[in-house]
Amino acid sequence: MAPFTYTAQPTRVVFGAGALQQLGREIERLGAQRALVLSTPEQADSARRVAELLGPRAAGIFAEARMHVPIETARAAREEARRVGADCAIAIGGGSTVGLGKAIALESERAGFPLLAIPTTYAGSEMTPIYGLTEGGVKKTGRDLRVLPKTVIYDPELTLTLPLGLTLTSALNAIAHACEGLYAYDGNPITALMAEEGIRAAATALPRLCRNEHDLDARGDALYAAWLCGSVLGSVSMGLHHKLCHTLGGSFELPHAAVHTVVLPHALAYNANAAPEAMRRIARALGTAQGPLSAAIGIFDLARTHGAPTALRDIGMPAEGLDRAADLAVQSPYPNPRPLERAAIRELLQHAFDGTRPG
Ligand code: NAD
């Protein structure tokens, strides 16, 4: 076996239907007394439920999380944490809410200000030390262990309300982390195991959720996939796919999970010949036939069969933005199995714009 380096992330995970009931015990375990509960405005009811469960340990609710963590929102949340004397934050929601919790943990005056995350989508942010902040329309990201949640409670019951459209795209967002993790230059056998199992669990959950979006067992499998794929994202470097999605999401304000869903098959087709072992493992996890483009086609078909978007034009991308997106994708170097070639990336974007099936 080739030598490798693997760093385990020190997050405690409590998983299972009904796991939210263990919140009080988990907050006590963190040694916290006053929790500020975070959510989006749409999930304010969930935040109130969490505050009720906490009783006297709830210091307040800040239900103003927004996509991509605008700096103004982060400042307002930090101010609220200070005002109510919070000694920890609880984020209930998707990547936007977890991202807000990370912004508070990053700038907290108290060293080791703990964040407890209760994810309700499959974005996976709760398992990463990656934070993002948007200022003046530009999103900057960084890595800092202070933002990694100390505890994550995964309760599939809380995902029963996730609309089917977001269920599909969010699960494909998770799969994207695992796919790029399988060809990461700093990948290792442990993250590869998590990646392959994560893809398998997500891909087998989706058809069941399309038949019955309240299938709790399938919801559990999808959340388990989110955990595994998020761990991969937090451990190894991402490549062209994540760069393109970051660019398209940030510069053209496209919905995060939908962009991942549309771009992934085309990014995999771009990298297919440069990362054959990763493609073999992705196809195996999807349960599709083996071939150079099986991974790309498998992901495309998984999305299309279940009614997820497959074309950038259908999710708000302007055709005249494709050239600029290609320019931005090659502006600064980053690791990717196949070298970054502007003309080929422009072609990739055209396929993604049109929704062409790879191959
Ligand atoms: P989101 O958090 O923006 O949620 C989308 C919408 O769905 C929100 O209105 C939310 O309230 C609602 N929602 C979430 N869960 C729900 C549920 N169970 N029932 C009903 N409604 C629910 O979307 P997302 O895709 O989870 O997160 C996207 C953001 O996360 C982006 O800004 C992305 O950059 C970031 N992200 C960061 C990391 C990281 O490691 N830092 C990883 C993945 C994503």
Side-chain angles (χ1 to χ4, degrees), residues 22-93:
Q22 299 181 43
L23 178 64
R25 203 184 69 191
E26 290 304 319
I27 285 293
E28 204 177 315
R29 213 175 165 275
L30 290 173
Q33 301 297 331
R34 295 183 60 75
L36 180 64
V37 184
L38 311 170
S39 75
T40 59
E42 298 80 22
Q43 287 181 284
D45 281 349
S46 302
R48 276 190 285 276
R49 196 179 148 205
V50 164
E52 272 165 32
L53 267 174
L54 286 170
R57 282 204 165 95
I61 293 175
F62 185 86
E64 289 171 42
R66 308 229 173 300
M67 182 88 100
H68 302 315
V69 196
I71 189 103
E72 302 76 19
T73 309
R75 283 188 187 130
R78 283 179 203 139
E79 181 46 41
E80 184 63 3
R82 240 190 314 272
R83 195 184 69 77
V84 300
D87 60 1
C88 86
I90 298 177
I92 180 158

Side-chain angles (χ1 to χ4, degrees), residues 37-333:
V37 184
L38 311 170
S39 75
T40 59
E42 298 80 22
Q43 287 181 284
D45 281 349
S46 302
R48 276 190 285 276
R49 196 179 148 205
V50 164
E52 272 165 32
L53 267 174
L54 286 170
R57 282 204 165 95
I61 293 175
F62 185 86
E64 289 171 42
R66 308 229 173 300
M67 182 88 100
H68 302 315
V69 196
I71 189 103
E72 302 76 19
T73 309
R75 283 188 187 130
R78 283 179 203 139
E79 181 46 41
E80 184 63 3
R82 240 190 314 272
R83 195 184 69 77
V84 300
D87 60 1
C88 86
I90 298 177
I92 180 158
S96 299
T97 308
V98 174
L100 181 60
K102 289 177 166 183
I104 299 177
L106 186 66
E107 296 282 319
S108 170
E109 285 154 8
R110 188 186 148 200
F113 184 92
L115 170 63
L116 183 148
I118 309 171
T120 62
T121 70
Y122 310 126
S125 175
E126 66 282 354
M127 294 310 293
T128 85
I130 306 166
Y131 63 88
L133 276 170
T134 304
E135 185 165 17
V138 181
K139 183 171 179 181
K140 294 208 174 101
T141 58
R143 276 180 182 261
D144 194 310
L145 265 182
R146 281 177 297 171
V147 308
L148 185 73
K150 299 277 185 294
T151 305
V152 176
I153 297 181
Y154 284 110
D155 186 341
E157 284 177 3
L158 302 173
T159 60
L160 291 171
T161 49
L162 191 64
L164 188 58
L166 192 50
T167 295
L168 292 168
T169 56
S170 194
L172 278 147
N173 182 191
I175 288 176
H177 309 326
C179 289
E180 290 229 296
L182 280 167
Y183 56 57
Y185 79 94
D186 52 357
N188 58 69
I190 310 306
T191 50
L193 273 178
M194 293 194 275
E196 199 173 329
E197 172 67 353
I199 297 169
R200 187 203 60 74
T204 52
L206 286 186
R208 285 143 70 207
L209 289 171
C210 279
R211 278 194 298 275
N212 172 14
E213 60 190 288
H214 297 117
D215 179 336
L216 191 57
D217 194 50
R219 286 283 177 192
D221 286 355
L223 208 52
Y224 166 65
W227 167 15
L228 293 172
C229 297
S231 300
V232 174
L233 173 69
S235 299
V236 302
S237 304
M238 297 289 113
L240 174 67
H241 169 77
H242 279 73
K243 176 70 180 181
L244 284 174
C245 293
H246 184 87
T247 302
L248 292 166
S251 306
F252 303 97
E253 292 183 20
L254 307 184
H256 174 82
V259 178
H260 275 273
T261 301
V262 172
V263 172
L264 185 60
H266 306 287
L268 292 179
Y270 182 94
N271 281 328
N273 290 332
E277 174 61 11
M279 301 302 153
R280 195 184 64 74
R281 292 187 77 155
I282 296 165
R284 187 169 71 185
L286 293 171
T288 61
Q290 293 287 343
L293 283 176
S294 298
I297 294 170
I299 296 287
F300 184 90
D301 289 349
L302 184 67
R304 187 170 62 177
T305 313
H306 296 103
T310 52
L312 288 176
R313 61 149 56 102
D314 296 338
I315 59 167
M317 178 70 193
E320 58 278 13
L322 295 175
D323 283 326
R324 186 152 72 89
D327 290 341
L328 290 171
V330 296
Q331 218 168 44
S332 50

